Structure formats: structure tokens, C-alpha cells
Amino acid sequence: MQTPSLIEMPPREGLWLEIAAQSQSLRVWQGDMCRHECEISTGRQGMGNRQGSGQTPLGWHYIRAAIGTDAPENAVFKGRRWTGEVFDAELAAAFPERDWILTRILWLCGLEPGINRGGQVDSQRRYIYLHGTPPNEPMGQPASHGCVRLRNADLLWLFEHAGPGTPVWLHDSR
């Protein structure tokens, strides 16, 4: 995997993701053609890049790692490892306060030093992911602890089409 360069953003031909906080949407672009669009849920604390803020970071990132290839749908992840559990109503009732990371993880790394890379603003060290969430969690409104939550079907589509090295632009403008 080659780390994308900021001067090449957005790519003219390659696949890239746009995450818009205002509309709580994710678009997958191939050059200037939208190939997929879905609702998401970003951080309930808003948008921001500081460590410990609970906010979803802004700026250009790329997918650093894709985790969970062989895990079943609704696999429960903790510390980027499948726990062996599969989310269901019984597990949800046993752990009602748990922030569920399900199905797959696309781990983001910032591309902009001082904005989302390095120091107290490093998205990768903040463990910012695109990940699955339980079906009863809201989409289309901020509700996460800083990550970007998706429905399983959308996450599985992304996992298949947007692998490591794919650029990701997170913004809060319309």
C-alpha cells in the first residue's frame, strides 16, 4: 500500500470516500462519479481533531488498515480483535452501555500534519474507524464516540471496494 499524497486529493480517477458531517452521509467517488451513498453517524460531540474530545476528526485521511476479513456479520471487536462474540439482543441486554464495534473495521490515518496527524490530533492514535453498529442505533444523526458508524450492508460494501490506501475526506460543510 502506498500512502496517498495530499497534492493528489481528491484523486481524479481513483476511488475515494467523502464523509459529510452536516448531512451525516458517506459518498464513494470514482473520480467525479458517485458509486455508493449511505447514511452514517459521526461523533455526538461534533467535529474536531483533539485527542480525548469524542469528536470525529476533519480533513484528509486514508484507510490504513482493513480488519475483520473472515469474521461473521455482527462480529464484536474490542481492541481491533474479534472477541469471538456475535452481536444479538441477548448480548446487547447483558452490556447496555457498551459502544459496539461490529462486523468490520476500516482504521483511518490522517494525512495532514498538525491537523489530523501527529501530536494530540493524530487520528490513527485516536483509533478512529469506520465500523458497523447495532441495527437499533440511529443513522443520519451524530451519536458515536468519534468514529464513523455504518449499517452492516454499507460497511461490507465499503470493505470490499475501498481497501487500505483509499483516501477519505471528512468535512462539516455542505
Side-chain angles (χ1 to χ4, degrees), residues 10-25:
R12 292 183 187 187
E13 295 177 17
L15 197 75
W16 61 283
L17 311 181
E18 175 190 10
I19 297 172
Q22 287 287 339
S23 60
Q24 291 292 292
S25 65

Side-chain angles (χ1 to χ4, degrees), residues 97-111:
E97 298 303 313
R98 200 158 164 189
D99 182 28
W100 300 100
I101 297 173
L102 304 179
T103 305
R104 303 284 185 276
I105 295 172
L106 295 171
W107 191 358
L108 298 183
C109 183
L111 282 171

Side-chain angles (χ1 to χ4, degrees), residues 30 55 105 156 164:
Q30 181 84 41
Q55 297 175 315
I105 295 172
L156 290 168

Side-chain angles (χ1 to χ4, degrees), residues 16-152:
W16 61 283
L17 311 181
E18 175 190 10
I19 297 172
Q22 287 287 339
S23 60
Q24 291 292 292
S25 65
L26 180 148
R27 288 184 184 91
V28 180
W29 296 94
Q30 181 84 41
D32 61 359
M33 184 177 80
C34 183
R35 293 193 53 208
H36 186 82
E37 185 172 2
C38 62
E39 279 190 314
I40 55 151
S41 177
T42 58
R44 79 176 65 132
Q45 300 299 323
M47 302 299 283
N49 297 36
R50 301 287 297 155
Q51 178 80 27
S53 67
Q55 297 175 315
T56 301
L58 294 165
W60 280 103
H61 294 75
Y62 69 99
I63 297 173
R64 179 73 176 100
I67 301 165
T69 301
D70 297 322
E73 189 168 331
N74 285 317
V76 176
F77 288 87
K78 211 170 187 183
R80 293 158 311 284
R81 301 218 189 306
W82 180 31
T83 65
E85 301 164 305
V86 176
F87 181 84
D88 60 16
E90 187 177 314
L91 196 58
F95 301 99
E97 298 303 313
R98 200 158 164 189
D99 182 28
W100 300 100
I101 297 173
L102 304 179
T103 305
R104 303 284 185 276
I105 295 172
L106 295 171
W107 191 358
L108 298 183
C109 183
L111 282 171
E112 300 176 82
I115 295 173
N116 56 31
R117 186 176 188 129
Q120 295 297 307
V121 294
D122 195 286
S123 295
Q124 184 176 348
R125 285 191 212 129
R126 289 181 60 201
Y127 303 103
I128 300 296
Y129 313 140
L130 279 66
H131 67 78
T133 195
N136 64 321
E137 288 295 320
M139 286 293 126
Q141 64 187 49
S144 81
H145 295 170
C147 289
V148 177
R149 295 176 176 174
L150 296 100
R151 293 281 175 237
N152 283 338

